[in-house]
Amino acid sequence: LEGAAQQIVKLLKRETVIYDVKDGKLEHPLRRVPQGEEDITIEDEACEEQAAAWALENNRHAGTGTDHFKQAKRQYLAIRVNSTVYGVVGIMIQKQPLDAFENSVLLSILGECALALENDKNVREKEEAAILAKNEQLRANLLRTISMWLIDLVENLLSVTRIEEGRMQIRQSAELVDEVIKEALKHTGQSRTGRTIKVEEEDELILAKMDARLIVQVLINLIGNAVKYTPQGTDITVRVKKEKAENAERSQV
């Protein structure tokens, strides 16, 4: 808008006002006077503002030389692309109407200005759309994370309640420790971002008698705590080994 006003004043040698449009209303105008000329005082500025507002609302010329607000000292034109008005310009006319060449120059400047404003609007809308999409993705990720956390929390609370009430049924069976660890790691994928989890185990397959469902939950809790209380880039190790008990051999994770 500033550039358009400067070009109009430079080429047409006429005092020019130019309004930006925000939320369908005219903003405070930029006013430019040709170099070397005195500022022109207009007694009825309210009439000028009404003519500019009419040009905005109706997307048509207003002011001197038109059928609307003839008493105005300026002629007001909408800066527009099709039906979208991006601004309004007022050109001082008084007793010197624009000739055909001046009118052509004016319309060319306003056309370029309108296209520039539309391009700027499109860029801003794309940026806003990208921000909204990113925020929506972050929101979805957060909800998924919270959902996994709530599931674990509820499961833990239910398990504790069953133990306290003596209702916990332990279903022991011989299980491959390696498979139990793999199952636990499947449920920690979303929460361990930025951390590497290593599993160290003996070469031979290790069988242990356990309630696999409960041990999986124990491992999920332990790994979750390790992730929660360590900085990103930390290596977390799950180590499996056999130990000799006093009366029997046992497996330990």
Side-chain angles (χ1 to χ4, degrees):
L1 291 173
E2 174 69 31
Q6 290 177 356
Q7 288 300 314
I8 292 170
V9 170
K10 180 180 178 180
L11 295 173
L12 302 185
K13 303 291 193 261
R14 294 173 185 262
E15 184 252 30
T16 300
V17 295
I18 194 163
Y19 294 84
D20 193 4
V21 174
K22 186 175 182 180
D23 298 327
K25 295 182 179 180
L26 296 175
E27 296 282 281
H28 188 74
L30 296 170
R31 193 158 178 253
R32 298 292 179 263
V33 178
Q35 188 174 5
E37 293 189 14
E38 294 183 0
D39 197 359
I40 300 173
T41 301
I42 297 178
E43 295 179 0
D44 194 358
E45 282 290 353
C47 176
E48 303 294 323
E49 292 180 1
Q50 290 170 7
W54 191 93
L56 167 63
E57 184 176 351
N58 295 276
N59 196 1
R60 294 169 58 191
H61 292 15
T64 185
T66 73
D67 295 331
H68 304 279
F69 299 93
K70 296 180 181 180
Q71 68 275 29
K73 301 299 182 182
R74 304 185 188 98
Q75 185 177 116
Y76 292 89
L77 301 86
I79 303 172
R80 62 189 177 87
V81 175
N82 299 323
S83 61
T84 303
V85 179
Y86 294 100
V88 174
V89 65
I91 309 297
M92 182 60 70
I93 298 296
Q94 289 187 328
K95 297 180 181 181
Q96 289 184 310
L98 296 173
D99 59 31
F101 175 74
E102 289 176 321
N103 190 63
S104 177
V105 169
L106 176 61
L107 293 179
S108 295
I109 294 174
L110 296 185
E112 292 296 324
C113 180
L115 289 175
L117 290 169
E118 184 172 62
N119 289 338
D120 180 67
K121 173 175 171 287
N122 291 337
V123 168
R124 284 186 282 109
E125 287 179 347
K126 288 180 180 179
E127 290 175 349
E128 290 170 0
I131 291 172
L132 286 174
K134 183 177 181 180
N135 288 341
E136 181 62 26
Q137 183 62 47
L138 290 173
R139 187 183 72 85
N141 290 341
L142 178 61
L143 288 176
R144 282 196 293 270
T145 301
I146 291 174
S147 297
M148 290 182 62
W149 175 78
L150 284 176
I151 290 171
D152 293 342
L153 178 61
V154 171
E155 183 64 29
N156 288 338
L157 289 174
L158 289 174
S159 297
V160 170
T161 301
R162 293 189 191 103
I163 292 172
E164 290 178 345
E165 295 178 354
R167 296 188 293 109
M168 175 64 73
Q169 295 182 356
I170 307 298
R171 299 183 177 88
Q172 291 186 330
S173 61
E175 302 285 348
L176 282 171
V177 175
D178 179 62
E179 294 298 323
V180 173
I181 294 173
K182 286 180 180 179
E183 183 63 27
L185 292 178
K186 288 180 183 178
H187 296 278
T188 61
Q190 292 290 334
S191 63
R192 66 192 195 205
T193 304
R195 295 162 183 81
T196 301
I197 298 181
K198 300 178 181 179
V199 179
E200 294 182 359
E201 53 188 328
E202 298 179 2
D203 293 336
E204 61 182 298
L205 296 177
I206 300 177
L207 281 172
K209 196 172 183 182
M210 69 180 82
D211 186 321
R213 179 178 57 88
L214 296 179
I215 297 300
V216 166
Q217 189 60 46
V218 169
L219 289 172
I220 290 173
N221 293 346
L222 291 173
I223 295 170
N225 284 337
V227 170
K228 183 176 180 180
Y229 296 106
T230 57
Q232 288 199 7
T234 301
D235 289 340
I236 298 171
T237 302
V238 179
R239 186 175 293 108
V240 182
K241 66 177 181 178
K242 287 183 178 181
E243 282 189 352
K244 290 284 186 179
E246 291 184 2
N247 300 320
E249 185 179 68
R250 65 178 180 177
S251 297
Q252 183 184 51
V253 179

